Amino acid sequence: MPPPARCYAVGGCVRDALLGRPVVDRDWVVTGSSPQAMIDAGFKPVGRDFPVFLHPLTHDEYALARTERKSAPGYRGFTFHAAPEVKLEQDLARRDLTINAIAQAEDGQLIDPFGGQRDLAARVLRHVGPAFVEDPVRLLRVARFAARFADFSVAPETQALLMQLVDDGEVDALVPERVWQEVARGLMEERPSRMLQVLDDCGALKRLLPGVDADRLVPQVLDLAAQVQAALPVRWACIASSAAGLGAQLKPPADCAELATTFNREAAAVHASAALDAAGTVQLLERCDAIRRPQRMDDLLLACEVDARGRGLVEGDYAPRQRLAAALQSALRIDTASIALDATSRGLAGPAIGEAVRQARIAAVASRR
């Protein structure tokens, strides 16, 4: 006879509740059950590699307790086994960090076989067991958690395993898309510079983010972007601008790649834009594609301000941001349709109409100076 089915909250929801942080999503592990029993109870199967189900009402994820065995190199090289006899402790043993290997029963009892509560109190990121080195994604996750929990340190023995993952070449099995997924999440954490520091300390930075020189990065720039709750493209620009070709290797989304390219090319011009006359200002806006994409120009100006402040180049107002934002609004307010119609009535066509619109923008910007 199979054991009775039981449900346990696991992972981040338990960890965050113990830390007094908001709990956004709840994940559950089910013991003593089978895929068919879950389906019969109304759960919707969604897992491709192992049995995961959505609750019919809450849509929380419920995964059958499982074990895993390394079967091939890389982060996908695992064989999973889920069955009613798999115990909760066996499922928790395959998790990455002790603080993520705490479960809570439906009656509130905590099951913590690997000392996760102890490490939460000590503010330590510690691996659960030796299987940690079987999955190189865990290196990225430790770096990401270091960015989220800024006052946590990496346990020395876990640091040794991070270095082993690099030395054994396991990190080289990570495809760019998977690296980007974790890096992007880390950039959106509380102290993103710590992610880069952890990667650099174990030797993974130059393997996963080739071209990024830790000595050239200014942590205050990236962390300031987080403090002002900048969007991901702004935070990415703070890194990618210092590493040629990094965007092409990691394949970030277009908005991130384009802003990084524009920032790398135009940041110096934005910083020095006080010296530009109206024509030069419009030319800068045009190079940045600001007329067509004003939101990206806003992101560029924020990235430039964060860069200037983080490097200690400005203490008061960052005048270029206000000046260029105002100039853009003036340029956007002109009635291009009327100008084009007037130019056409005067026999102008093609590039001549475009130049008439451009001169109107210059005049509009000049009127504000």
Side-chain angles (χ1 to χ4, degrees), residues 42-121:
F43 287 76
K44 179 182 178 182
V46 293
R48 293 183 301 175
D49 300 324
F50 42 81
V52 178
F53 304 84
L54 295 183
H55 190 283
L57 298 179
T58 67
H59 304 293
D60 287 345
E61 286 193 357
Y62 285 68
L64 293 183
R66 63 188 185 269
T67 60
E68 65 184 25
R69 179 176 57 84
K70 185 75 169 176
S71 57
Y75 67 98
R76 292 176 174 167
F78 292 92
T79 299
F80 297 94
H81 172 67
E85 65 269 16
V86 176
K87 295 179 171 58
L88 174 66
E89 289 74 10
Q90 292 176 284
D91 183 276
L92 296 176
R94 68 177 180 78
R95 296 177 182 268
D96 51 6
L97 299 173
T98 61
I99 64 172
N100 297 328
I102 309 171
Q104 186 170 31
E106 293 175 290
D107 62 4
Q109 177 189 2
L110 293 174
I111 299 90
D112 182 15
F114 303 104
Q117 295 176 86
R118 172 202 63 208
D119 287 336
L120 283 176

Side-chain angles (χ1 to χ4, degrees), residues 259-273 283-289 297 300 304 318 324:
L259 183 64
T261 298
T262 305
F263 177 82
N264 195 34
R265 187 186 67 232
E266 302 294 349
V270 171
H271 291 329
S273 59
Q283 185 180 47
L284 174 58
L285 294 175
E286 290 173 340
R287 290 202 309 269
C288 297
D289 201 16
M297 188 64 187
L300 174 64
C304 289
Y318 179 67
L324 290 175

Side-chain angles (χ1 to χ4, degrees), residues 65-315:
R66 63 188 185 269
T67 60
E68 65 184 25
R69 179 176 57 84
K70 185 75 169 176
S71 57
Y75 67 98
R76 292 176 174 167
F78 292 92
T79 299
F80 297 94
H81 172 67
E85 65 269 16
V86 176
K87 295 179 171 58
L88 174 66
E89 289 74 10
Q90 292 176 284
D91 183 276
L92 296 176
R94 68 177 180 78
R95 296 177 182 268
D96 51 6
L97 299 173
T98 61
I99 64 172
N100 297 328
I102 309 171
Q104 186 170 31
E106 293 175 290
D107 62 4
Q109 177 189 2
L110 293 174
I111 299 90
D112 182 15
F114 303 104
Q117 295 176 86
R118 172 202 63 208
D119 287 336
L120 283 176
R123 297 297 194 260
V124 173
L125 301 175
R126 189 189 314 277
H127 65 285
V128 168
F132 179 90
V133 294
E134 295 179 353
D135 185 356
V137 172
R138 289 171 174 170
L139 183 150
L140 287 165
R141 283 174 58 83
V142 171
R144 176 162 62 82
F145 280 120
R148 177 182 301 181
F149 304 120
D151 58 342
F152 280 55
S153 63
V154 179
E157 57 271 32
T158 303
Q159 178 67 23
L161 294 187
L162 297 181
M163 298 173 70
Q164 182 180 331
L165 280 166
V166 176
D167 293 341
D168 291 349
E170 281 283 341
V171 295
D172 299 324
L174 292 168
V175 297
E177 292 81 2
R178 192 68 177 91
V179 175
W180 169 256
Q181 181 181 0
E182 292 295 328
V183 167
R185 294 179 69 181
L187 287 175
M188 297 307 294
E189 299 290 5
E190 176 183 322
R191 189 86 62 80
S193 69
R194 289 204 68 214
M195 173 180 65
L196 302 181
Q197 186 62 59
V198 169
L199 294 177
D200 188 48
D201 287 345
C202 68
L205 184 64
K206 60 185 177 183
R207 304 277 275 275
L208 299 177
L209 301 178
V212 172
D213 185 347
D215 293 333
R216 292 177 55 197
L217 286 170
V218 180
Q220 293 87 340
V221 173
L222 188 52
D223 291 342
L224 181 58
Q227 289 175 27
V228 300
Q229 299 183 329
L232 177 60
V234 174
R235 304 188 194 201
W236 175 242
C238 294
I239 296 178
S241 61
S242 65
L246 178 59
Q249 294 178 40
L250 276 194
K251 303 176 183 177
D255 57 346
C256 292
E258 291 169 1
L259 183 64
T261 298
T262 305
F263 177 82
N264 195 34
R265 187 186 67 232
E266 302 294 349
V270 171
H271 291 329
S273 59
L276 298 176
D277 60 11
T281 297
V282 170
Q283 185 180 47
L284 174 58
L285 294 175
E286 290 173 340
R287 290 202 309 269
C288 297
D289 201 16
I291 305 298
R292 191 171 66 93
R293 303 178 69 178
Q295 180 56 55
R296 194 177 74 180
M297 188 64 187
D298 288 345
D299 288 342
L300 174 64
L301 293 176
L302 177 56
C304 289
E305 178 172 359
V306 165
D307 179 67
R309 293 191 186 282
R311 294 177 186 274
L313 303 178
V314 62
E315 293 184 359

Side-chain angles (χ1 to χ4, degrees), residues 334-344 346 353 356-358 360-361:
I334 70 166
D335 188 346
T336 55
S338 297
I339 295 169
L341 183 62
D342 176 70
T344 301
R346 292 186 285 113
I353 295 178
V357 171
R358 184 170 185 274
R361 287 174 178 151

